[in-house]
Amino acid sequence: MRQMKTYRHLFFDLDHTLWDFETNADETLRHLFDQHDLSRYGAFSVEEFIRVYSDINHGLWRLYQNGKIGQQQLRATRFPRTFLKLGLTEADSPPTLSDEFTDLLPHKTAVFPYTHEVLDYLRAKGYQLHLITNGFRDIQHLKLRASNLTDYFQEIVTSECCGHLKPDTRIFRHALERTGARAAESLMVGDNLECDVLGAYNAGLDQVYFNPEKRRHFNEVTYEISCLSELKAFL
């Protein structure tokens, strides 16, 4: 690692960075698969259901982040499209499935390894910790409470409240204004090269790319880690 400059404010992404979205979503989808007896169709396994849903949900989130669709459209279409992709009809999707998923998911508690230990360490070192998330406000606050993360953060900046989504530089500037931080003394930690890393770079912040799967890429980032515990080596 290169010599780290002095930072005062650390901004974290939530989903896929601290809160383990894939593990929590997997558990929720398995529960709903059983609850609605989706095996009765005989057309797909629970693993295939989860895989197809995940692909479609990620695609819809990209459209949402690019301003192509709204929150309601995202929620209303993800499961019907999943059923269609699995060879059934959109009408086969239980009408309450999306709402049930939205209700259950935020109460799941899985976080990435060392999340609490690292946040305890950083807080004890005197860093001011904040969140910048594209997630919906109420949902994100439920996730934080369920996983005992709320108290770590002084400011929780959501795209819903700000009116702009990462990687738009305006959400980062809004976060800096709201926290009283300067870009030069701030560091963004996130898993998404476009939303977190490029967005922070364009707003003048240094970045930590959290890459637990060690995906190959050709982006220039300030720092890269595959485990949150690696933050302790230079902060």
Side-chain angles (χ1 to χ4, degrees):
M1 285 274 182
R2 70 191 78 177
Q3 181 63 40
M4 197 78 164
K5 67 183 185 184
T6 302
Y7 300 102
R8 294 185 58 231
H9 295 266
L10 306 181
F11 294 89
F12 285 85
D13 175 49
L14 180 58
D15 294 330
H16 307 284
T17 299
L18 300 174
W19 197 78
D20 190 343
F21 184 93
E22 297 302 334
T23 295
N24 291 318
D26 185 283
E27 184 178 325
T28 304
L29 291 167
R30 287 179 184 276
H31 171 81
L32 293 173
F33 186 91
D34 291 339
Q35 181 172 303
H36 288 276
D37 190 24
L38 299 184
S39 61
R40 72 184 186 275
Y41 292 113
F44 48 84
S45 65
V46 63
E47 288 78 15
E48 190 176 7
F49 173 66
I50 291 170
R51 179 183 59 78
V52 171
Y53 168 82
S54 180
D55 288 345
I56 287 172
N57 189 51
H58 287 160
L60 289 170
W61 265 96
R62 284 193 293 272
L63 292 175
Y64 173 74
Q65 289 168 348
N66 290 326
K68 302 290 180 62
I69 62 172
Q71 174 183 341
Q72 291 306 314
Q73 186 177 356
L74 187 157
R75 290 180 173 177
T77 60
R78 53 190 177 181
F79 282 104
R81 289 189 183 186
T82 297
F83 276 72
L84 195 62
K85 184 72 171 179
L86 288 166
L88 300 175
T89 69
E90 292 187 0
D92 288 316
S93 175
T96 60
L97 203 54
S98 186
D99 287 342
E100 291 176 56
F101 180 79
T102 301
D103 289 342
L104 290 170
L105 178 64
H107 298 283
K108 301 300 181 182
T109 60
V111 295
F112 279 92
Y114 302 102
T115 291
H116 291 98
E117 293 91 330
V118 167
L119 293 176
D120 282 332
Y121 167 85
L122 295 173
R123 184 167 60 178
K125 292 273 288 186
Y127 291 105
Q128 297 186 52
L129 309 180
H130 316 286
L131 275 177
I132 306 178
T133 172
N134 279 353
F136 307 125
R137 180 184 182 279
D138 292 345
I139 299 297
Q140 300 304 74
H141 280 274
L142 285 173
K143 292 175 183 176
L144 290 167
R145 286 196 293 271
S147 51
N148 295 316
L149 293 175
T150 304
D151 291 344
Y152 288 106
F153 301 104
Q154 294 180 327
E155 294 290 343
I156 298 168
V157 177
T158 68
S159 58
E160 195 172 15
C161 294
C162 169
H164 304 289
L165 291 144
K166 295 180 293 183
D168 193 316
T169 57
R170 287 173 290 185
I171 190 172
F172 293 96
R173 290 172 185 154
H174 172 80
L176 293 173
E177 291 173 7
R178 186 161 149 182
T179 57
R182 293 184 298 108
E185 62 183 9
S186 302
L187 184 67
M188 177 71 200
V189 183
D191 72 291
N192 190 297
L193 280 169
E194 180 181 4
C195 291
D196 301 315
V197 173
L198 181 60
Y201 171 82
N202 287 336
L205 284 73
D206 283 356
Q207 328 89 42
V208 177
Y209 175 40
F210 176 52
N211 186 12
E213 296 182 6
K214 299 183 179 180
R215 293 189 180 96
R216 188 180 182 190
H217 67 93
F218 300 98
N219 300 74
E220 185 175 346
V221 301
T222 314
Y223 301 96
E224 182 170 340
I225 60 173
S226 59
C227 179
L228 292 173
S229 64
E230 294 174 51
L231 289 172
K232 297 170 67 174
F234 56 86
L235 287 176

